[in-house]
Amino acid sequence: MATIRAYHSTNSDFKRLDDSFLGANTDDNATDYYWAQTAHLGFWFNVGGNLSIAYNKQQMECLLEIENPIEVDSIETLALWIESQEKTGEELRSELQEQGYDSIIVTNDEEYGGVSYVVFDAANIEIKKTMNMI
């Protein structure tokens, strides 16, 4: 199992992750339905990018425990995958979990830069600290 230190940017104040909120912010501002569905795949984290461009109030430093990720090259690839399968983000996540995957690695995050990790289960995430951005 790999442990990765990564960051999550948010405007919400919370102490634990809850998948019932997946996509809550993205649904209102994504360029189209399928891009919005990528936010429903799981909890998004970034390494090496610029999360400050999100203009969010907080940045959370987290430890991610991932064992069997599937790798894609971009968020656009994820959106096209969801569209081609005619699925929601939740449906694709369930399908990937049934196949034994626990996360997605996005090697070229065109929104923030760097590498992004999408973790399916909040139990695999430890929030280490929260920092105010604004």
Side-chain angles (χ1 to χ4, degrees):
M1 183 173 291
T3 301
I4 297 159
R5 184 174 306 275
Y7 299 88
H8 179 79
S9 181
T10 183
N11 277 324
S12 301
D13 186 21
F14 55 88
K15 300 294 182 215
R16 66 178 187 82
L17 298 162
D18 182 339
D19 64 359
S20 68
F21 293 105
L22 292 177
N25 293 326
T26 307
D27 287 343
D28 293 334
N29 63 30
T31 55
D32 75 19
Y33 173 80
Y34 298 104
W35 277 77
Q37 286 303 301
T38 64
H40 294 263
L41 288 165
F43 303 99
W44 282 76
F45 300 87
N46 187 275
V47 175
N50 185 4
L51 290 180
S52 65
I53 65 172
Y55 305 106
N56 289 321
K57 291 188 231 175
Q58 297 182 61
Q59 187 176 97
M60 304 174 113
E61 180 181 321
C62 301
L63 295 179
L64 315 178
E65 296 291 337
I66 61 173
E67 190 169 310
N68 191 28
I70 187 168
E71 192 171 298
V72 299
D73 65 341
S74 67
I75 301 170
E76 180 178 24
T77 298
L78 283 174
L80 292 171
W81 189 8
I82 292 168
E83 181 177 15
S84 71
Q85 299 268 324
E86 297 180 349
K87 296 185 182 301
T88 65
E90 291 92 344
E91 291 169 336
L92 182 56
R93 178 183 65 214
S94 292
E95 183 178 293
L96 291 171
Q97 286 176 304
E98 288 172 11
Q99 294 172 19
Y101 295 105
D102 62 355
S103 56
I104 300 170
I105 299 175
V106 181
T107 58
N108 181 29
D109 182 330
E110 59 267 56
E111 186 174 8
Y112 296 109
V115 175
S116 282
Y117 296 86
V118 186
V119 180
F120 299 150
D121 188 345
N124 294 350
I125 303 162
E126 179 185 353
I127 300 171
K128 295 302 284 182
K129 65 181 174 180
T130 300
M131 300 156 279
N132 289 325
M133 301 291 291
I134 299 175

